[in-house]
Amino acid sequence: MFIKTREYQELFLEALRAGIRGQRVAWKERSVQEWSGVFALADMHHVLPLVYEAVAECRAAALADRVMFAKVREKSLRLMALQRTMTEEFLELYAHLQQMGVKPLAVKGIVCRSLYPNPDARLSADEDLLIPKEQFEACQEAMLLYGMQQLNPETGTENYETAYKKTGGFLVIELHRMLFPENEKWCIGWNGFFDEIHKQAIERETEGVKINMPQPTDHLFFQFCHARKHLLASGVGIRQICDILLFAEHYEKEIDWEIFWDRIRMTDGILFAEAIFRLGVQYLGFKEKQFYFPEGVNSMKLDTERLMEDILHSGIHGKGTRSRLHSGTLTLHAAEKRGLSGIFPGLFYMAFPPAKNLLWRFPYLKKHPYLLPFAWGQRLCGYLREGPVLGSVKEIVKTGRKRKEILREYGIFGEKRRRIQQGKVSEIWRRRDLYCGK
């Protein structure tokens, strides 16, 4: 559901602002339409339990439609119970991996959930583990022994991440050799910042299990890079923004802010990073702090309202609408072309993408790349079954154009981003070596 009414968005943000703090709203009366709008947004962003907990005890809830509230309550409790099961399965797996002599780093997922008053109310579809390349085979063997099975085994394990699911369970693991793809122009040089991530890792105990995670400066920088990845594609959701802000607040004394901002500058992320901290202050109740806006950063006039609107329309990972999801192909193609791609080349790229972009959906392309035209046909037939094509294409183009403007405004590509591609990479790597002690 695509929520356009600003009033629903404001109410949703008010409830979410309370939910991430374990607080309750004090609403006295709300219409059925308002409740429906708030819950639809919460569901679209996978924060329904957080929002439900924040509104369930207010006077307006007692006066609301009982059937609707009963359904929301049932779904929220079911989602939290599922998250509890997945967390327990993950902790069992992680303890098993340690016993087998491998110690991957947990990123995002359980690290971020621990920052919320009720961790089970912050939902995770999967857990991400980062393992040194030389330990990948040993880690995979230990996971298989535990009962994990590789999803889409036809694709192999050469990609930067490989997905596994527990047999007879709910846990899904994405096992990373590295945090970002090596050969994509939009993230060129990023993995180099994390060369020493395993040596500098820290240990935190979660429910009796000692979890290894990146030291806070590395993890916060990774979270920003990961959010930029989703913004570049179909969109970044509000849950990711909350994760970043809560992490920065919780670990503020352990984060080396000078190094963090220097890395952000080297990857041309200043505008986006400042915008996220501004969103936290303006919409989510975070306090403005000096290290959020160091000298030379807090001097830019940013249209944060426009970015927040894009975030709210995005849904979780840009899956809010069909047109938005498919518009990600246009923005990714524009990034590959350094922001110089027009709409029609982007549409052609969307209809006939390279084989590497389709391996997850058509694994047979790995062994039989000559079947790429057949995969194109399968894919286009699938789109035809979804509904009218012409109207969808028009909406995709409209969404794509609007999102490209936002990406240019925040330097994700365009003139600002091209500075990296035109000679800045060597400087990134030289200065990165200084931080890594090389």
Side-chain angles (χ1 to χ4, degrees), residues 232-292:
L232 177 59
S234 300
V236 57
I238 194 67
R239 192 187 70 186
Q240 269 188 280
I241 304 301
C242 292
D243 287 349
I244 290 173
L245 295 167
L246 288 170
F247 188 92
E249 181 182 70
H250 183 82
Y251 288 100
E252 64 179 51
K253 294 182 180 179
E254 298 178 56
I255 294 170
D256 188 319
W257 289 97
E258 182 178 354
I259 290 179
F260 168 77
W261 279 111
D262 212 9
R263 290 178 177 181
I264 290 292
R265 287 188 179 95
M266 283 188 277
T267 52
D268 277 359
I270 284 287
L271 295 175
F272 182 53
E274 179 186 351
I276 288 184
F277 285 126
R278 290 233 161 274
L279 292 178
V281 172
Q282 293 174 357
Y283 296 98
L284 294 170
F286 287 83
K287 296 180 180 178
E288 184 167 338
K289 300 184 179 181
Q290 180 60 36
F291 46 77
Y292 290 170

Side-chain angles (χ1 to χ4, degrees), residues 369-381:
Y370 55 85
L371 292 177
L372 179 59
F374 180 73
W376 287 339
Q378 278 187 291
R379 187 165 171 266
L380 290 173
C381 286

Side-chain angles (χ1 to χ4, degrees), residues 43 64 130 150 284 299 301 368 379 419:
D43 198 31
L130 176 65
Q150 183 182 347
L284 294 170
S299 59
K301 295 182 179 180
H368 309 289
R379 187 165 171 266
R419 292 203 302 272

Side-chain angles (χ1 to χ4, degrees), residues 197-423:
I197 194 171
H198 294 282
K199 294 181 181 179
Q200 300 173 357
I202 63 174
E203 189 177 74
R204 291 289 186 271
E205 186 170 309
T206 300
E207 299 183 28
V209 178
K210 293 182 178 179
I211 303 291
N212 293 324
M213 59 172 279
Q215 58 97 347
T217 307
D218 282 341
H219 198 278
L220 182 63
F221 179 62
F222 163 66
Q223 286 180 279
F224 268 96
C225 292
H226 186 71
R228 286 177 63 185
K229 165 190 167 183
H230 282 290
L231 182 69
L232 177 59
S234 300
V236 57
I238 194 67
R239 192 187 70 186
Q240 269 188 280
I241 304 301
C242 292
D243 287 349
I244 290 173
L245 295 167
L246 288 170
F247 188 92
E249 181 182 70
H250 183 82
Y251 288 100
E252 64 179 51
K253 294 182 180 179
E254 298 178 56
I255 294 170
D256 188 319
W257 289 97
E258 182 178 354
I259 290 179
F260 168 77
W261 279 111
D262 212 9
R263 290 178 177 181
I264 290 292
R265 287 188 179 95
M266 283 188 277
T267 52
D268 277 359
I270 284 287
L271 295 175
F272 182 53
E274 179 186 351
I276 288 184
F277 285 126
R278 290 233 161 274
L279 292 178
V281 172
Q282 293 174 357
Y283 296 98
L284 294 170
F286 287 83
K287 296 180 180 178
E288 184 167 338
K289 300 184 179 181
Q290 180 60 36
F291 46 77
Y292 290 170
F293 309 109
E295 184 178 356
V297 174
N298 187 18
S299 59
M300 305 169 188
K301 295 182 179 180
L302 299 174
D303 186 2
T304 52
E305 182 176 343
R306 187 182 184 189
L307 179 60
M308 178 56 84
E309 181 182 3
D310 184 75
I311 289 170
L312 292 178
H313 289 172
S314 167
I316 188 74
H317 302 324
K319 299 177 182 179
T321 64
R322 176 185 174 191
S323 61
R324 171 174 282 274
L325 187 61
H326 293 316
S327 74
T329 307
L330 302 181
T331 51
L332 286 169
H333 182 255
E336 285 289 315
K337 300 301 180 182
R338 303 178 186 179
L340 299 176
S341 173
I343 288 295
F344 290 108
L347 286 173
F348 184 85
Y349 182 85
M350 181 176 69
F352 307 105
K356 67 175 184 177
N357 291 9
L358 297 177
L359 286 176
W360 66 274
R361 186 172 178 182
F362 306 109
Y364 59 77
L365 291 175
K366 183 177 177 64
K367 291 185 178 180
H368 309 289
Y370 55 85
L371 292 177
L372 179 59
F374 180 73
W376 287 339
Q378 278 187 291
R379 187 165 171 266
L380 290 173
C381 286
Y383 289 156
L384 290 173
R385 286 193 295 269
E386 290 180 7
V389 175
L390 183 59
S392 296
V393 171
K394 289 181 178 179
E395 189 62 32
I396 290 169
V397 170
K398 179 180 177 181
T399 304
R401 282 176 171 161
K402 186 176 181 180
R403 298 205 65 251
K404 284 171 70 174
E405 292 176 3
I406 293 174
L407 293 170
R408 287 193 181 95
E409 181 179 351
Y410 286 93
I412 306 301
F413 61 59
E415 290 298 327
K416 297 166 185 160
R417 177 61 182 166
R418 284 202 292 278
R419 292 203 302 272
I420 289 181
Q421 308 294 342
Q422 298 173 350

Side-chain angles (χ1 to χ4, degrees), residues 38-105:
V38 168
F39 289 142
L41 270 170
D43 198 31
M44 190 169 73
H45 284 271
H46 288 200
V47 293
L48 185 62
L50 287 168
V51 168
Y52 174 76
E53 287 188 337
V55 304
E57 298 177 5
C58 69
R59 182 174 182 274
L63 300 175
D65 182 273
R66 292 187 178 183
V67 174
M68 178 187 65
F69 245 81
K71 290 181 179 179
V72 172
R73 178 179 183 276
E74 187 275 332
K75 185 172 184 177
S76 297
L77 293 177
R78 175 163 45 84
L79 289 171
M80 286 191 285
L82 176 61
Q83 184 58 64
R84 169 59 7 209
T85 299
M86 293 172 65
T87 298
E88 291 173 355
E89 290 178 348
F90 173 74
L91 293 173
E92 289 178 3
L93 170 64
Y94 199 88
H96 167 75
L97 294 177
Q98 289 179 320
Q99 292 174 359
M100 297 295 292
V102 291
K103 294 184 178 181
L105 302 185

